[in-house]
Amino acid sequence: MEFLPEVFRNKEVNGIHLRAKTILSCLPPRLSLLVFLRHSGCIFSREAVQDLREISESCLSFPPILFFFPGESEDAIEFFAGIWEDASVVADSQIEFYRSLGLKNANIVQLAGPEVLIGTARATFKGHFYGLPGKHSLQMPGVFLVVKDRIVWEHSYRHIGDHPDWRNLPGVTLLPGAEFGPDVMPA
């Protein structure tokens, strides 16, 4: 089991709807999902945020999500407007958190290969479109399931249009939200 790098414990962060000044202070003592997005014009980032909002609203048991955005807080506010206004987002304009977890820039195949075209069709079918490229437009995304400072699972993106199966995260059993209150567990 890997641990989050020290920068997650010590570096003060800026963003929107953050509960504390450092990453580890923002995370609850249970499973959490850290989602590292691409730039503000990325169709796949829009798709991921929309999908995650829908799942987390319909399933109370889905882990809390902390997004990382490769830009300034103002850019993050603009990006999340209309998609998920009350999401918790770390603005990482220097992509320090991305680099500390080994997330690199995409190569040409990861940016424009045949699988990316298939992903573009999928995202477009869901109603998403490309926007103007933002800062760090070559940055690859990443997803990490953590318990406090421990990484228990990660999704290694093969290309920018790769899409994790959000409904089948290891260790996460999705319970529908409408029929269960926070104090009621299924038999």
Side-chain angles (χ1 to χ4, degrees):
M1 189 176 312
E2 252 185 272
F3 287 89
L4 289 170
E6 193 65 27
V7 68
F8 284 77
R9 181 181 318 281
N10 299 328
K11 182 171 175 56
E12 285 198 15
V13 294
N14 294 315
I16 51 178
H17 305 293
L18 299 175
R19 300 180 340 178
K21 293 285 186 191
T22 63
I23 302 298
L24 287 182
S25 302
C26 289
L27 301 177
R30 58 187 171 95
L31 282 175
S32 300
L33 195 60
L34 307 182
V35 178
F36 289 78
L37 299 170
R38 295 191 67 244
H39 62 89
S40 58
C42 179
I43 189 173
F44 306 115
S45 290
R46 296 171 195 273
E47 177 189 24
V49 172
Q50 178 75 39
D51 289 352
L52 287 166
R53 189 192 88 216
E54 289 172 2
I55 292 168
S56 68
E57 287 175 351
S58 65
C59 299
L60 295 175
S61 60
F62 199 77
I65 303 163
L66 180 60
F67 290 101
F68 289 76
F69 184 80
E72 303 294 335
S73 293
E74 298 78 28
D75 300 327
I77 291 169
E78 186 178 321
F79 174 80
F80 280 85
I83 303 173
W84 196 354
E85 288 86 1
D86 54 349
S88 297
V89 184
V90 173
D92 187 10
S93 62
Q94 301 303 312
I95 58 173
E96 186 175 357
F97 293 106
Y98 288 75
R99 294 293 179 248
S100 72
L101 286 170
L103 299 174
K104 301 185 182 323
N105 284 339
N107 61 38
I108 191 70
V109 173
Q110 291 172 315
L111 287 171
E115 291 179 305
V116 177
L117 296 175
I118 293 167
T120 301
R122 179 196 64 234
T124 303
F125 183 70
K126 292 179 181 178
H128 302 287
F129 302 98
Y130 283 103
L132 295 175
K135 194 173 182 181
H136 305 291
S137 59
L138 299 177
Q139 179 62 56
M140 285 293 286
V143 175
F144 300 85
L145 190 62
V146 300
V147 177
K148 269 315 229 182
D149 64 344
R150 295 168 193 216
I151 300 170
V152 296
W153 175 82
E154 71 180 274
H155 178 74
S156 297
Y157 282 77
R158 296 182 325 270
H159 53 83
I160 61 171
D162 192 4
H163 196 62
D165 184 356
W166 302 116
R167 295 192 178 273
N168 287 308
L169 297 176
V172 177
T173 303
L174 298 183
L175 300 174
E179 56 271 13
F180 297 109
D183 57 338
V184 178
M185 295 300 292

